[in-house]
Each structure stands twice: as C-alpha cells, then as structure tokens.
Amino acid sequence: MRYSSQRSGAVKKAVVLFLFSISSIVVLAQRKSVQELLGFPKNAKLLIVHADDLGVTHSENAASVSALEKGSVNSASIMVPCPWFPEIAAYARLHPEKDFGLHITLTSEWKYYKWGPVTPLANVPGLVNKSGFLYASVDSVVQNASATEVEEEIRSQVKRAVQFGIHPTHLDAHMYAIHHNLGFLKSYLKVGHEFDIPVFVYRQVESALHINLDTVVSNRDIIVDTILTAEVENFKAGMSNFYTAGIKNLKPGITYLILHTAYDDAEMQAVTIEHEGWGAAWRQKDYNFFTSRKCAKLLKKNNIYLVTWRQIKDRLSQKNGL
C-alpha cells in the first residue's frame, strides 16, 4: 500500500473498521478497549507488522514469506490481479494459519510491468486504459471508473482469492485508490459486509472526501490508533533509524505498521525502474530490518505485543458466541 502525495507525514491517525453483520460488537467496544478485548492490559502497546504487495513479483513473495517465517512480520496482504498471485495463493492455501488479507488493486503503476482487472474487460471499461491495463494513477481511476465497476472488480478479486483457497482476514486498498471517491468507498464497504471480511478505512478520508465517516460506515467498529509507514524522506534519512524511532515511541493501543518486503534483485529492479520510492533497494531495507535481531530485541525491550487481523476477528467472534 502506497500513499498519495496528498498524505503528509509518516505517522497518521487511522481508523480500522471491522465490519461484520454482528450488531452487538459496538456494545463490547463501548465497554472495553481493543487491548482488553484481546486479553491484554488496557495500556498495552499492540502492533500489527504488515507487509503489502504480495503477488506483485516472485521477489516480493519470497522475501515476504521469509519475513513471515523468520522475522517480525506477522501479517500481509495479497494483490490478486498480479502475475505472481498464483504462487503466493498456493503458499496461503498450504499455510492457513498465516494472516493474509487482500490488497484490493485498482491501479498498475509500474512503467513496464502491467496487469489488468480480474473482471472481464467488457464489464469494467472505465477501469482500464486503451491497452487494457489498469491505470497507473489513482487520479485516472477516479476520473474514468464508476462505483459500479469498482464494486464488481472488488468482488471479483475476493471471489478469485477464495477460489484459490485463500481465506482473507481483512481487506485493504493498494495506493488508497478506494479512499479517493465516496462511491468507491461505499462499494468497498459493501463487499466487505457481503463476505464478512474486516475492512480497513483510514480517518483522513474525511478531509479528502469532505464527509463524516460516521454517516458512511456502520457502528460495528473497532478503532486502531495509529499508522506507521515510511515515506520517501524517511528512506533517504535511513530506514533503520525511522523504524527504530517508531517502535521506541509506540503508544498504548494498536499501531498498524505497513512495509514492503522484497529482494534488491534484477527482477525487482526491472519492475520498479524510474519510479521514485518503494523501489528494490527500499524493499530490501524493509526486509533487512524486520528480519533482524535488532528489530526483535526492540519489540521485546519496549514491551510490544504483536497481534494480527485474524486474532482480532477471531476474538470478536468468540466474544459474540460465533
């Protein structure tokens, strides 16, 4: 997940909405904090270490699986339309205990490496350019696609994932394309409801769309306090320094730490050519830090508990007798 130029700063207040067809969740949320619902002390510092963009390349898949198995990464999301989706889907199918969500993808941003929608092109003409690929920019998606087309493509991506044996623990949005149009956002929430999958929404959408989120979403919410993710300036200043400071300064509540793990190899270099930010070297540095002993020690020293989307969803279901 990469953030648009409209987003300033690396640490953002956010809302993660766990949207189920369970009206009693709000009652539980009013009585207890998220930490308490998960069985932690009220002032506990909880962290989801989340890798985006799985499925985009073999390099991304291999590094992310390694970080999930050997490092501190404990959650990830998969890009269904991408060429290397079948590889990571096969892994997810064989490892159902892993915390895999879907990185809903409406853009194809790299210069030469492209993909189209899961839905047949004839059904979603507004989502594709003249070559039949998804648009490179979020602005082009907003200008050309309808909410109906976006809804159909989101549903197609979820269905394809399920067809391949994935049981998504959450939905999030590649490049935040979903969050730049109210109709898109409503379609996203609708499909999440339809499949009973927790949906990620960030609070800054209120200022971007000039709306009150409380009038758009349901009242079955759990608030996640902070997003922590690197920006171009953080990469230039040193990723290890950025992540170290971020971990040391975590506050009580849930922080959603978003990163991109891949190897700085020929494949990833070719894919990300002439693209500022989130390139092969960037992704290698993410991998290096989150598979390091330094990271593991920092988490332990600062009394941080790693939690997953799956834990939260399962705990809420358990609390409601499901």
Side-chain angles (χ1 to χ4, degrees), residues 1-14 176 202 204 226-235 242 256 258 278 282:
M1 180 188 299
R2 286 190 299 288
Y3 299 81
S4 74
S5 59
Q6 296 174 349
R7 200 180 73 89
S8 60
V11 179
K12 291 288 185 177
K13 290 290 179 185
Y176 276 165
Y202 73 119
Q204 281 66 40
T226 306
I227 288 179
L228 177 65
T229 193
E231 299 288 350
V232 173
E233 60 269 23
N234 306 124
F235 174 71
F242 171 75
Y256 189 32
I258 301 171
W278 298 275
W282 177 309

Side-chain angles (χ1 to χ4, degrees), residues 250-304:
L250 284 189
K251 297 189 178 355
I254 294 184
T255 296
Y256 189 32
L257 195 161
I258 301 171
L259 59 137
H260 304 79
T261 41
Y263 297 123
D264 187 5
D265 57 17
E267 180 195 25
M268 209 68 219
Q269 290 166 16
V271 167
T272 60
I273 192 170
E274 297 180 22
H275 194 282
E276 184 183 20
W278 298 275
W282 177 309
R283 292 167 190 251
Q284 180 74 60
K285 289 183 182 298
D286 274 1
Y287 173 81
N288 291 348
F289 184 84
F290 287 98
T291 56
S292 69
R293 293 182 64 187
K294 176 182 178 179
C295 178
K297 287 180 179 179
L298 271 172
L299 295 171
K300 184 175 182 180
K301 182 177 180 180
N302 288 277
N303 300 312
I304 294 166

Side-chain angles (χ1 to χ4, degrees), residues 25-40:
I25 286 180
V26 65
V27 177
L28 289 168
Q30 289 171 346
R31 287 205 303 255
K32 292 185 176 181
S33 67
V34 177
Q35 299 97 298
E36 291 172 302
L37 284 173
L38 294 174
F40 294 99

Side-chain angles (χ1 to χ4, degrees), residues 8-169:
S8 60
V11 179
K12 291 288 185 177
K13 290 290 179 185
V15 174
V16 173
L17 304 171
F18 289 86
L19 301 166
F20 304 89
S21 55
I22 307 171
S23 60
S24 57
I25 286 180
V26 65
V27 177
L28 289 168
Q30 289 171 346
R31 287 205 303 255
K32 292 185 176 181
S33 67
V34 177
Q35 299 97 298
E36 291 172 302
L37 284 173
L38 294 174
F40 294 99
K42 188 175 183 179
N43 63 347
K45 292 180 284 186
L46 309 183
L47 181 65
I48 301 173
V49 183
H50 188 272
D52 276 0
D53 290 4
L54 279 70
V56 70
T57 61
H58 171 69
S59 178
E60 192 87 26
N61 290 346
S64 298
V65 165
S66 175
L68 283 162
E69 292 183 345
K70 303 175 184 177
S72 299
V73 175
N74 68 339
S75 180
S77 57
I78 297 169
M79 300 174 73
V80 177
C82 292
W84 283 90
F85 165 73
E87 180 184 57
I88 195 62
Y91 177 86
R93 188 168 60 250
L94 292 172
H95 298 83
E97 77 284 358
K98 297 297 185 185
D99 192 57
F100 285 122
L102 302 183
H103 202 38
I104 298 301
T105 303
L106 301 179
T107 52
S108 177
E109 70 274 25
W110 307 113
K111 185 174 182 179
Y112 300 120
Y113 186 62
K114 297 294 183 181
W115 51 81
V118 174
T119 309
L121 297 185
N123 293 2
V124 289
L127 277 178
V128 298
N129 61 22
K130 61 183 180 181
S131 299
F133 298 124
L134 294 173
Y135 289 105
S137 72
V138 171
D139 287 345
S140 294
V141 180
V142 173
Q143 290 168 11
N144 293 285
S146 69
T148 300
E149 290 172 313
V150 167
E151 179 182 328
E152 185 165 359
E153 176 59 17
I154 296 171
R155 186 176 292 107
S156 293
Q157 291 184 23
V158 175
K159 286 183 174 180
R160 173 67 60 85
V162 172
Q163 177 189 5
F164 273 72
I166 299 171
H167 301 286
T169 59

